[in-house]
């Protein structure tokens, strides 16, 4: 994690990381003002807090209350060497906790990350640099053998060269990547989380059998999502980009809707229109892009090549962003390598959906077949030793598709996790199933898995598939676990041979889709210095239902974004219009404003926690519509999850409105005790909200220029690096 430090007045310092700011000072005896803890105090507190976190985690997974558990830490300084210290952590436990759990709680503290790092002994490197942001990939270093050349199935270049090439691409774009975490819970299963140090919202996860393969996976995913603009889906890219020569890509085209909002004839083809507009309800306005919001310009559409005949078909960017999420995008050392990865993931998700929603029982992989892959078997055996039964299944549906499945059961909680992997090689597909299972997860994280069900509706509900797509945390049917399989086991193999193996495999995978009667469309992106592609298979590779284009389109943001960002500038008439639109929209009152308008507010602020419900409440309050405001306050206090501070503000507002709306009560009779209960600053905010001197308490003013929205500005900064690189390539002679 990158922590940047600013020098404030006197001895005060400010450390900034992610969306947090920490201020440190020195005690008065050391010439400071004592206005904040010192740096070493934060270090000491981090150890105690980390220990307490692991205690909390242990207790929550076993439903042990922590109300009466107390923990303290003391650091004992050696009188002869103040740098040699003993940290004594003591835990006070209630009498009703069992002996086994007492030992478990103490053992959990042994896992404290701060403790382990200190005990291992971190290495400090202190150096001067010309520019803090210039050494873009310094945090990625694995120190591989300079002469190593590790080749793995599916990669057209050795891992070392793949990592170096991708790191160079990111460094050339000025993107500083940091590794936020590594995990290696069982043998031959590695995963890591990487992110843009400047814009942590841009992150990916990688997985593999080794550290190097996991890092290559994470970097590849980062580059694919960067090339396909996936990091910036559903977000407002700012007014500068909205009016630029191009918004998404230099080869985009904009088409205006026809009469009565008809779809432009230049977009999609007859095959796609049958899928996306079967009832003739789709209108041009449904396809305005969310990112620019530039409806005057028309529908931003991107060229894709139809693989059956090489014709170019224009897909609205809105349609792609609304329905496909990250499905069908990949980067590779070569186009063929990227195609194999794209198509493998498409089959993985489509077959997974067919199996889960069809409640299909899969055949077990025989032990003698698993024995051919000892590295994979070692990881599975370790999970079994940890108390997690593992089922290894052939998900090829009788050898038709290159898909495998590893399913984990958690007897402690009754939860299950079905992880799928795909690749033309059975061994690689199996490895991907296992590494996907543990990607970014701790053993404690396996306690959050959902329980299987015999309720078919819960399994076939569309959002269940979305949950499976995002992190495989959806519900699985008990019928999936039947010993009577619906297909026989097949030891399949779709892999190619020799130097052109990826090209052969890509052709084979395209052939499967052709056999299914599917049209396939592909766009290739190489303007950023790496090869990536995106493949769309209409009617097969979508993640969200097609109906979302009409009923839950992300461009609903366009009806609200400008007014909400300009909230403090709206007069009474403007607020009435906004309120009416919110009511007429029939949007869920618990939808957060971040999602609604595509702005990355800092989640630690009132804006970041704001929901449609609270926004309606504040508008009624600003309009002095106290009866309606009071009803929304009660709804907020009953159902809304927010910070303690925000909750206390609305508790105070609730009682003040109660008094104001009761003709038999006088506020002057209660104000003194309200102030004693809620404090003067909070009551000043409440009374100001009632008399109109305070509007939209807690929401700092901003506008469509996005001033004060540092988190979102950093996201736009990240996108502008890509936009600038694309513009430079487009302007250069071919």
């Amino acid at each position: 994690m990158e922590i940047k430090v600013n020098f404030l007045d006197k001895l005060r310092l400010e450390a900034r990381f992610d969306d947090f700011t920490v201020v440190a000072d020195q005690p008065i005896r050391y010439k400071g003002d004592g206005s904040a803890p010192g740096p070493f105090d934060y270090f000491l507190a981090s150890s105690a807090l980390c220990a307490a976190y692991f205690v909390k985690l242990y207790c929550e997974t076993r439903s042990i209350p922590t109300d009466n558990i107390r923990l303290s830490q003391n650091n004992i300084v050696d009188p002869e060497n103040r740098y040699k210290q003993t940290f004594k952590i003591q835990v006070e436990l209630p009498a009703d906790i069992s002996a086994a759990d007492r030992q478990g709680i103490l053992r959990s503290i042994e896992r404290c990350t701060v403790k382990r790092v200190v005990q291992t002994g971190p290495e400090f490197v202190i150096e001067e640099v010309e520019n803090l942001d210039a050494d873009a990939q310094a945090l990625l270093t694995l120190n591989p053998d300079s002469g190593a050349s590790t080749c793995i199935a599916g990669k057209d270049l050795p891992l070392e060269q793949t990592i170096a090439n991708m790191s160079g691409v990111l460094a050339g774009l000025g993107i500083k990547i940091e590794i936020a975490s590594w995990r290696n819970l069982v043998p031959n299963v590695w995963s890591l989380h990487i992110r843009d140090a400047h814009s942590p919202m841009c992150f990916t996860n990688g997985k593999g059998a080794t550290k190097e393969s996991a890092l290559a996976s994470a970097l590849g995913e980062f580059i694919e999502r960067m090339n396909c603009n996936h990091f910036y889906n559903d977000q407002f890219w700012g007014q500068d980009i909205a009016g630029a020569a191009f918004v998404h890509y230099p080869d985009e085209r904009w088409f205006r809707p026809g009469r009565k909002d008809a779809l432009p004839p230049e977009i999609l083809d007859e095959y796609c229109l049958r899928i996306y507009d079967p009832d003739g309800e789709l209108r041009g306005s449904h396809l305005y892009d969310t990112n620019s919001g530039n409806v005057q310009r028309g529908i931003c559409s991107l060229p894709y090549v139809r693989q059956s005949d090489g014709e170019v078909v224009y897909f609205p960017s809105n349609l792609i962003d609304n329905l496909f999420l990250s499905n069908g995008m990949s980067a590779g050392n070569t186009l063929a390598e990227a195609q194999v990865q794209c198509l493998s993931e498409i089959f993985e998700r489509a077959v997974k959906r067919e199996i889960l929603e069809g409640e299909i029982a899969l055949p077990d992989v025989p032990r003698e077949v698993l024995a051919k892959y000892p590295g994979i078997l070692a990881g599975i055996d370790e999970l079994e030793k940890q108390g997690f039964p593992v089922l290894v299944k052939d998900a090829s549906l009788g050898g038709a598709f290159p898909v495998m499945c590893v399913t984990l059961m958690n007897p402690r909680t009754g939860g299950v996790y079905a992880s799928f992997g795909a690749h033309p090689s059975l061994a690689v597909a199996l490895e991907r199933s296992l590494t996907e299972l543990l990607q970014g997860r701790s053993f404690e994280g396996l306690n959050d898995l959902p329980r299987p069900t015999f309720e078919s509706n819960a399994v076939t509900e569309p959002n269940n598939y979305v949950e499976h797509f995002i992190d495989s945390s959806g519900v699985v049917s008990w019928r999936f676990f039947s010993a009577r399989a619906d297909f026989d086991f097949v030891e399949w193999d779709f892999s190619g041979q020799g130097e052109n193996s990826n090209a052969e495999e890509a052709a084979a995978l395209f052939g499967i889709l052709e056999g299914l009667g599917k049209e396939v469309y592909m766009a290739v992106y190489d303007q950023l210095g790496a090869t990536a592609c995106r493949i769309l298979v209409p009617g097969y590779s979508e993640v969200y239902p097609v109906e979302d284009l009409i009923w839950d389109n992300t461009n609903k943001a366009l009806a609200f974004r400008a007014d909400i960002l300009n909230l403090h500038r709206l007069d009474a008439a403007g607020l009435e219009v906004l309120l009416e639109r919110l009511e007429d929209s029939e949007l869920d009152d618990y939808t957060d404003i971040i999602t609604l308008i595509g702005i990355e507010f800092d989640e630690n602020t009132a804006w970041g926690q704001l929901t449609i419900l609270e926004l309606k409440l504040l508008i009624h309050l600003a309009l002095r519509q106290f009866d309606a405001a009071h009803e929304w306050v009660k709804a907020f206090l009953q159902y809304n999850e927010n910070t303690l501070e925000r909750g206390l503000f609305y508790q105070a507002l609730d009682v003040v409105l109660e008094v104001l709306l009761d003709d038999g009560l006088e506020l002057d009779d209660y104000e003194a005790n309200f102030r004693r209960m809620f404090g003067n600053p909070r009551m000043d905010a409440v009374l100001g909200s009632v008399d109109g001197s305070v509007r939209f308490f807690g929401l700092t003013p901003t506008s469509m220029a996005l001033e004060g929205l540092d988190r979102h500005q950093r996201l736009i900064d990240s996108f502008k690096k890509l936009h600038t690189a694309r513009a430079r390539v487009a302007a250069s002679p071919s």
Side-chain angles (χ1 to χ4, degrees), residues 405-564:
C405 174
V406 174
T407 301
L408 177 143
M409 307 171 76
N410 188 344
R412 184 180 295 137
T413 63
V416 300
Y417 179 10
S419 174
F420 289 73
H423 188 269
S425 163
L426 187 149
V428 175
L430 185 55
E431 178 187 291
R432 288 181 176 178
S433 299
L434 181 60
T435 54
E436 175 70 24
L437 181 75
L438 295 176
Q439 180 173 274
R441 292 184 182 271
S442 62
F443 283 130
E444 289 81 9
L446 298 174
N447 291 322
D448 298 330
L449 305 178
R451 298 169 183 171
T453 180
F454 277 112
E455 292 291 332
S456 296
N457 288 341
V459 177
T460 58
E461 194 272 323
N463 196 57
N464 188 50
Y465 174 66
V466 176
E467 294 296 324
H468 274 290
F469 177 87
I470 294 172
D471 61 4
S472 296
S473 64
V475 178
V476 177
S477 171
W478 266 120
R479 294 177 178 85
F480 175 83
F481 294 93
S482 173
R484 186 179 301 168
D486 294 311
F487 293 88
D488 293 329
F489 168 74
V490 175
E491 193 171 357
W492 50 266
D493 185 11
F494 294 86
S495 58
Q497 304 296 322
E499 293 183 0
N500 298 317
S501 60
N502 271 319
E504 294 173 14
E505 290 168 0
L509 297 180
F510 277 122
I512 296 174
L513 290 170
E514 183 180 359
L516 294 174
K518 304 296 183 183
E519 284 281 11
V520 180
Y521 305 79
M522 182 174 69
V524 177
Y525 300 113
D526 55 10
Q527 304 98 330
L528 302 181
T531 301
C533 66
R534 182 156 201 174
I535 295 175
L536 309 178
V537 188
Y540 192 72
S541 65
E542 294 88 355
V543 176
Y544 283 105
V546 170
E547 294 78 18
D548 279 7
L549 289 174
I550 296 173
W551 303 112
D552 193 23
N553 196 302
T554 57
N555 75 2
K556 59 182 175 285
L558 307 185
F560 304 105
R561 181 185 288 153
D563 280 349
I564 291 176

Side-chain angles (χ1 to χ4, degrees), residues 5-167:
V5 178
N6 296 320
F7 296 90
L8 306 180
D9 59 297
K10 299 184 179 178
L11 296 181
R12 295 171 70 247
L13 305 167
E14 175 187 79
R16 298 176 65 90
F17 52 95
D18 294 346
D19 292 322
F20 301 101
T21 299
V22 174
V23 175
D25 199 352
Q26 290 292 333
I28 293 173
R29 65 181 181 276
Y30 294 143
K31 309 301 183 184
D33 291 332
S35 63
F40 190 66
D41 299 328
Y42 281 115
F43 167 68
L44 294 175
S46 73
S47 174
L49 290 169
C50 187
Y53 162 75
F54 279 94
V55 171
K56 182 77 171 176
L57 204 61
Y58 180 92
C59 292
E60 282 196 345
T61 58
R62 292 159 180 80
S63 299
I64 299 172
T66 55
D67 299 351
N68 296 316
I69 295 178
R70 300 170 65 202
L71 182 146
S72 73
Q73 173 185 293
N74 287 283
N75 61 308
I76 303 167
V77 183
D78 187 316
E80 296 183 359
N81 182 356
R82 67 189 180 101
Y83 300 115
K84 182 180 179 182
Q85 301 190 14
T86 300
F87 288 14
K88 179 178 284 188
I89 297 174
Q90 298 176 311
V91 188
E92 180 183 312
L93 301 172
D96 59 353
I97 292 183
S98 70
D101 282 329
R102 288 172 182 272
Q103 287 301 312
I105 287 171
L106 295 179
R107 283 197 300 270
S108 73
I109 296 175
E110 290 292 336
R111 300 179 56 228
C112 167
T113 309
V114 176
K115 167 184 168 296
R116 288 192 168 190
V117 170
V118 172
Q119 287 179 321
T120 302
E123 179 182 352
F124 286 84
V125 177
I126 301 171
E127 61 186 10
E128 178 190 355
V129 296
E130 291 184 8
N131 186 324
L132 285 176
D133 298 317
D135 193 7
Q137 310 313 119
L139 302 180
L140 288 181
T141 304
L142 280 175
N143 295 319
D145 181 351
S146 58
S149 183
T150 308
C151 297
I152 64 172
K155 289 292 180 192
D156 284 329
L157 289 175
L159 282 177
E160 294 79 6
Q161 189 174 347
T162 299
I163 292 169
N165 290 348
M166 290 189 291
S167 299

Side-chain angles (χ1 to χ4, degrees), residues 254-392:
W254 296 72
F255 304 110
R256 294 180 182 276
R259 292 180 65 249
K260 297 183 179 180
D261 202 17
L263 297 179
E266 298 92 345
I267 65 171
L268 304 175
D269 57 15
E270 289 300 322
Y271 178 87
C272 292
L273 287 170
R274 288 196 298 272
I275 294 170
Y276 298 125
D277 190 25
D279 302 316
E281 296 179 320
L282 189 64
R283 314 313 301 159
S285 57
H286 290 133
L287 299 175
Y288 292 133
D289 81 296
T290 309
N291 311 110
S292 73
N294 195 339
V295 299
Q296 303 303 318
R297 204 167 178 177
I299 298 168
C300 184
S301 303
L302 309 177
Y304 277 73
V305 176
R306 190 167 58 206
Q307 297 301 290
S308 61
D309 59 8
E311 289 295 315
V312 173
V313 176
Y314 281 89
F315 282 76
S317 62
N318 170 289
L319 183 149
I320 298 170
D321 292 345
N322 267 282
L323 301 184
F324 291 92
L325 285 183
S326 63
N327 201 19
M329 59 175 70
S330 186
N333 290 299
T334 63
L335 177 58
E337 181 185 314
Q339 288 174 325
V340 170
Q341 177 66 12
C342 269
L343 294 166
S344 295
E345 289 189 353
I346 287 172
F347 282 121
E348 173 193 321
R349 277 89 183 240
V351 171
K352 177 180 185 176
R353 184 174 205 155
E354 182 177 350
I355 290 167
L356 294 176
E357 294 185 355
E359 299 177 280
I360 295 172
L362 300 176
D364 292 319
V365 177
R367 186 75 179 184
E368 58 269 23
V369 174
L370 285 178
K372 297 178 182 179
Y373 314 109
I376 295 171
L377 199 55
I380 293 170
D381 288 344
E382 181 60 29
L383 283 171
E384 295 270 2
K385 289 178 185 177
Q386 293 290 335
F388 300 104
V390 175
L391 308 175
V392 183

